[in-house]
């Protein structure tokens, strides 16, 4: 029953948490940034406030990040050693390759973590705030993409998905059950 074993391995590595991602103690946290890496509202603002000016200094040097790509800085004053900045798609109704771009944002963040030897990382729900991606659809993309990546990458030991609101947390829980990861 290899399928069953595989899904057990996957589910034990994906953890859903409710709260503030800046408090996470994983080696890296992922930021839902904008393509200019200038900071802003939502989770981006919270990460720069909690992490201090060093993160923005490094972002300025990097200069920018196109949607679907990911870049890395140190974690400044955060408990996490690194911040992986990725840029999700702006929701335009679903026909502008939003799903593909959101998938690439998760994949490229995970691939960057692997390259850097990072074994534990936390994601927020990318694109579902100011960028307007419908939450239920986004939760499927997020959890399927993370689950698929973990199948082929045993070097990643744990992925925490941190949901800010109670409602978001419940929707992600339902999706995790639905897609058979829990
Ligand atoms: P985007 O521009 O990619 O939509 P936002 O920051 O506006 O990014 O929203 C992404 C998600 O992050 C939203 O679900 C929002 O509720 C959530 N969020 C906001 N602040 C935090 C935080 N401190 N920790 C975790 N998630 C957060």
């Amino acid at each position: 029953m290899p399928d069953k074993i595989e899904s057990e391995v996957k589910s034990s590595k994906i953890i859903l948490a409710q709260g503030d991602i800046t408090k996470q103690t994983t080696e890296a946290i992922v930021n839902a940034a904008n393509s200019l890496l200038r900071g802003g509202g939502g989770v981006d603002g919270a990460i720069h406030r909690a992490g201090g000016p060093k993160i923005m200094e490094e972002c300025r040097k990097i200069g920018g990040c196109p949607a679907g790509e990911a870049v890395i800085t140190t974690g400044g004053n955060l408990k996490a050693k690194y911040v992986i900045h990725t840029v999700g798609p702006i929701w335009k109704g679903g026909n502008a390759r939003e799903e593909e771009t959101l998938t690439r944002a998760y994949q490229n963040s995970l691939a960057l973590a692997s390259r850097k030897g990072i074994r534990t990382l936390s994601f927020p729900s990318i694109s579902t705030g100011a960028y307007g991606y419908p939450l239920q659809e986004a939760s499927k993309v997020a959890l399927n993409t993370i689950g698929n990546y973990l199948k082929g990458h045993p070097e990643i030991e744990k992925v925490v998905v941190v949901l800010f609101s109670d409602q978001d947390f419940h929707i992600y829980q339902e999706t995790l059950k639905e897609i058979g990861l829990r």
Side-chain angles (χ1 to χ4, degrees), residues 133-144:
Y133 206 118
L135 194 83
Q136 198 163 17
E137 294 312 310
S139 71
K140 287 180 193 157
V141 175
L143 296 174
N144 275 317

Side-chain angles (χ1 to χ4, degrees), residues 5-20:
I5 292 162
E6 193 172 274
S7 98
E8 278 169 8
V9 170
K10 279 192 290 181
S11 68
S12 65
K13 287 185 170 188
I14 300 178
I15 294 165
L16 300 183
Q18 195 194 342
D20 180 353

Side-chain angles (χ1 to χ4, degrees), residues 153-173:
H153 293 273
E155 72 276 10
I156 304 285
E157 291 169 7
K158 182 173 80 169
V159 176
V160 186
V161 183
V162 184
L163 291 319
F164 205 46
S165 77
D166 197 42
Q167 200 192 354
D168 291 6
F169 178 69
H170 286 296
I171 290 174
Y172 267 73
Q173 266 185 327

Side-chain angles (χ1 to χ4, degrees), residues 70-72 84 107-118 149:
V71 298
I72 192 165
I84 293 172
Q107 278 170 347
N108 284 321
S109 299
L110 288 158
L112 188 48
S114 289
R115 284 204 298 281
K116 280 278 174 182
I118 292 163
Y149 188 87

